[in-house]
Amino acid sequence: MDALDILSDVENCFPYFQPIFSADEQRVIAYEVLGRYQSEGNIISLGPFFQDEEIPDEYKYEVDLLIVKKALEKILELDPDIRLFLNRNADLLMYKHGEPFLQELLAFEKRGLNLQRIVLEISDRHYNGDVDQFDHLLQYYRTYGIKVAIASVDSESHYFERLGQLNPDILKINLHPLKSTSTGMNYNDVLFSLSLFARKIGATLLFENIEMSYQLQFAWKNGGHYYQGYYLHPPSPEFIERDLLKHRLKEKFHDFISYEKKKLEAVFTTAENFQAKVQELVIKNRKASYEELFQVLIKEMDQVAFRMYICDEDGFQKSANIFKNKNGWISQSEYLNKNWSWRPYFLENIIKMRHDQKGILSDLYCDIETGETIRTFSFPINGNEYLFIDISYQYLFEHVQLL
C-alpha cells in the first residue's frame, strides 16, 4: 500500500493488540500495540510504513498518534495492572523533542490512566541524532513513571555497552533466529549472557517471536519473565481473557520443569560417579608423581576425558597438560606455570572444593582450543593441589542428558 493512500485515509488506521504473558502468573500482563490499516476489506500491517525512511517523521507521527490514542482509549477498559507497550524508534520519539507525545499521555493521565502502565518499547540502532539528548528524554519520561523496554535485543554482543547506558526496565529478546537449524551454540551463549546481564542491571527479560514450543522452553530456561509470540496468541483487534492460557502454560511449565530436573539429576549423578572413581584412584596413588597419576587416570577415563592437568589454589599450573589427540595421549609441557585464576568461577570453585572437599562438574562451555562444547570435572587432590579433567564432547553426546 502506498504511503499517500494511508495518509489520505488515516481514519482507517487502528491498533492491534498482541498479548504478553507472565511466567509467574501464567496470564496476560500487558499488550503490545501494533499498527494496522484496513483497505478494501484487507488488514495490512503498518510496520513497513513506519520503517520507510523516505516518509517524513511528521507523517509517521500523525499516523502513530492516532493509533496510540485509539489504544489508550481501549486500555482504560482493562484491569488497572495491565500495561501497554508502545513502539517508538528513536527518531519518532525525538519528534519535536518528545513533547507532543508526552502531552497526549498526560491528557490520558487526567482521565485516570496511571502512566506506570505505559512501557516505551524503543530502538535506537539506526539513530543518527544526538544520543545524549535522546537519553535525557528517556530519563525525563521516567520521572512520570513510564517504563522503558529495549526492543529486538539479539545476538549482537557489541550492544551490551549501549544497554548499560540506557539501563532499561525490560530487555526484549528476539527469538526468531532460534528457528534456524544453523543457529549455533554461540547464539545461545550470547542470549544466556544477556540473561545474566539483565539480572545485574535489574532488568526483566521479555522473549518475543515465540512461534514454537522449544522457543518457549528456551525462554523459560533462560530467565524469561514475559513471553510473546504467535505460539501463544497472535495480534488481534480485541483483548483476550486474561487466563485464557493459564492451564496450558501450567502444563508446559510442568513439562519443562520435569525435563530440567532429569537433566540436573543426570549431572548430579555423573558428578557423584566421577567423584567416587577419581577419589579412589587419587587415594591409591597418593605418593605417585603427576605423570604416574595421569597414567592411572587415563586407563580409567580414556573414553571420557581429552585433557588433564593440575593447578595450585592460586591457579598456577603445576603439571604439564596431558592431552588426547587422534594419535593418543601426549604431554604438553608448555602449559607448566600458566595461570588460570582469571577464568570465570575459577577461584570460586577452588574455595568451594576446599571447603566441601569434593569435586565439581562444571556447566557446559565452549573450549577455547578445540572449539567443542565440554564440561570440566575439578577435584581437590590435597590442601593445595587441584586436578582438572576436561570431559570430551563425544562422551557428552553419548550421554545426551549431559548436553
Side-chain angles (χ1 to χ4, degrees):
M1 177 62 63
D2 188 90
L4 290 176
D5 292 332
I6 294 174
L7 291 168
S8 62
D9 191 25
V10 71
E11 287 303 319
N12 274 319
C13 296
F14 52 90
Y16 257 40
F17 303 91
Q18 186 165 33
I20 296 169
F21 298 83
S22 72
D24 49 357
E25 297 183 62
Q26 305 95 50
R27 67 198 310 234
V28 175
I29 54 88
Y31 287 92
E32 179 182 355
V33 177
L34 302 168
R36 294 292 187 266
Y37 173 70
Q38 184 168 2
S39 174
E40 299 178 353
N42 297 317
I43 306 298
I44 302 169
S45 170
L46 285 173
F49 172 84
F50 289 113
Q51 295 164 9
D52 190 340
E53 296 182 0
E54 300 297 320
I55 300 174
D57 286 344
E58 56 265 31
Y59 295 155
K60 292 180 183 178
Y61 180 79
E62 178 187 349
V63 174
D64 178 79
L65 184 60
L66 178 66
I67 292 170
V68 167
K69 283 183 175 180
K70 290 181 177 180
L72 293 175
E73 289 285 353
K74 291 182 73 71
I75 197 178
L76 293 174
E77 309 168 4
L78 293 174
D79 293 343
D81 62 323
I82 293 183
R83 295 177 177 178
L84 201 65
F85 281 63
L86 302 175
N87 287 297
R88 324 294 291 176
N89 65 38
D91 290 306
L92 194 59
L93 189 67
M94 289 295 291
Y95 178 72
K96 292 188 177 181
H97 307 290
E99 194 61 33
F101 177 63
L102 179 60
Q103 291 306 315
E104 290 297 334
L105 295 180
L106 293 175
F108 275 89
E109 184 182 42
K110 292 177 180 178
R111 296 174 56 187
L113 175 65
N114 186 341
L115 294 189
Q116 292 185 4
R117 298 174 65 185
I118 301 299
V119 180
L120 291 183
E121 185 178 319
I122 64 171
S123 173
D124 69 346
R125 292 287 178 95
H126 307 294
Y127 181 57
N128 295 317
D130 190 315
V131 174
D132 288 338
Q133 286 189 13
F134 176 74
D135 291 355
H136 289 153
L137 179 62
L138 287 183
Q139 293 305 320
Y140 179 53
Y141 277 26
R142 280 174 152 166
T143 63
Y144 290 93
I146 297 168
K147 302 292 187 290
V148 173
I150 301 299
S152 298
V153 176
D154 51 31
S155 60
E156 295 183 29
S157 56
H158 67 269
Y159 201 53
F160 276 59
E161 182 179 353
R162 184 68 181 128
L163 293 177
Q165 293 170 347
L166 292 171
N167 195 28
D169 302 287
I170 297 169
L171 292 183
K172 195 168 187 183
I173 297 177
N174 182 6
L175 284 187
H176 181 73
L178 203 63
K179 288 179 63 178
S180 172
T181 56
S182 63
T183 300
M185 187 76 179
N186 288 343
Y187 178 82
N188 295 358
D189 287 343
V190 171
L191 292 187
F192 176 69
S193 298
L194 272 171
S195 70
L196 295 179
F197 177 80
R199 182 183 177 192
K200 290 289 186 182
I201 66 173
T204 301
L205 291 182
L206 190 165
F207 286 85
E208 67 174 335
N209 283 325
I210 295 175
E211 299 179 9
M212 299 179 184
S213 178
Y214 77 89
Q215 291 174 313
L216 178 62
Q217 183 174 9
F218 180 90
W220 171 84
K221 183 177 179 180
N222 285 278
H225 190 181
Y226 303 136
Y227 313 123
Q228 176 184 16
Y230 276 75
Y231 178 75
L232 300 170
H233 203 281
S236 61
E238 301 299 333
F239 301 123
I240 64 173
E241 201 277 312
R242 293 191 72 175
D243 292 326
L244 179 67
L245 297 187
K246 196 174 188 72
H247 179 69
R248 176 183 162 197
L249 287 175
K250 277 188 174 180
E251 287 186 336
K252 280 291 180 184
F253 291 163
H254 177 74
D255 292 342
F256 299 161
I257 292 167
S258 297
Y259 177 78
E260 202 61 29
K261 279 183 175 179
K262 288 179 181 177
K263 289 194 68 173
L264 292 172
E265 286 288 351
V267 170
F268 178 81
T269 300
T270 301
E272 289 290 298
N273 291 338
F274 285 166
Q275 169 72 24
K277 181 181 293 186
V278 173
Q279 185 175 42
E280 180 183 3
L281 295 175
V282 168
I283 290 174
K284 285 182 178 179
N285 296 274
R286 65 178 63 188
K287 295 183 179 180
S289 65
Y290 295 149
E291 291 74 16
E292 290 170 338
L293 176 60
F294 287 142
Q295 291 306 312
V296 172
L297 290 167
I298 286 171
K299 289 180 182 178
E300 290 292 329
M301 306 189 75
D302 182 61
Q303 302 303 311
V304 176
F306 74 94
R307 185 195 290 125
M308 304 180 193
Y309 55 97
I310 293 170
C311 291
D312 66 19
E313 66 174 16
D314 292 332
F316 288 96
Q317 191 160 327
K318 309 302 289 184
S319 75
N321 270 8
I322 306 300
F323 183 80
K324 185 179 183 181
N325 62 22
K326 60 182 180 181
N327 297 317
W329 290 87
I330 62 172
S331 178
Q332 298 173 316
S333 59
E334 64 269 25
Y335 287 88
L336 266 170
N337 298 316
K338 287 200 173 185
N339 186 271
W340 307 112
S341 61
W342 53 269
R343 286 179 168 173
Y345 308 114
F346 185 93
L347 293 177
E348 180 181 337
N349 287 339
I350 290 291
I351 298 300
K352 184 173 177 59
M353 285 189 287
R354 189 172 70 184
H355 183 270
D356 296 343
Q357 283 300 298
K358 191 175 183 180
I360 295 173
L361 184 61
S362 76
D363 58 1
L364 291 168
Y365 68 97
C366 187
D367 184 62
I368 294 175
E369 293 187 8
T370 67
E372 292 190 334
T373 300
I374 69 168
R375 292 181 185 267
T376 296
F377 180 69
S378 313
F379 180 82
I381 296 177
N382 52 50
N384 188 47
E385 294 180 320
Y386 297 83
L387 171 66
F388 295 86
I389 302 175
D390 290 338
I391 311 303
S392 70
Y393 176 78
Q394 182 63 35
Y395 180 85
L396 299 178
F397 182 78
E398 292 169 357
H399 300 77
V400 68
Q401 69 273 21
L402 296 178
L403 283 174

